[in-house]
């Protein structure tokens, strides 16, 4: 029964840490744009590809 005197403060400490992390995340704007990442998978990236060097093997050297 004496273990409850140890577990309750540890649980309260975990709750305080979790609440602190949550408020830090809200303050640092972690939750501002939740929709952009969910639809970004639907669009292709516009990556410019370098033109490859032509290896024209039909002309003898």
């Amino acid at each position: 029964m004496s273990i409850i005197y140890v577990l309750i403060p540890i649980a309260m400490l975990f709750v305080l840490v979790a609440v602190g992390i949550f408020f830090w995340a809200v303050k640092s704007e972690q939750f501002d744009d939740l929709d952009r990442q969910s639809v970004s998978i639907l669009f292709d990236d516009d990556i410019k590809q370098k033109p490859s060097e032509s290896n024209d093997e039909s002309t003898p050297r």
Side-chain angles (χ1 to χ4, degrees), residues 9-61:
I10 291 174
M12 290 172 56
L13 181 66
F14 282 154
V15 168
L16 287 175
V17 168
V19 168
I21 290 173
F22 174 74
F23 280 116
W24 167 80
V26 169
K27 182 180 172 186
S28 64
E29 300 174 355
Q30 296 290 320
F31 300 115
D32 277 355
D33 189 10
L34 297 177
D35 294 330
R36 181 173 48 115
Q37 292 299 325
S38 64
V39 296
S40 67
I41 192 76
L42 302 175
F43 301 107
D44 290 333
D45 292 336
D46 294 332
I47 299 174
K48 302 280 185 183
Q49 294 182 355
K50 294 181 181 178
S52 62
E53 295 178 15
S54 63
N55 292 331
D56 192 9
E57 296 180 10
S58 63
T59 57
R61 291 185 181 203

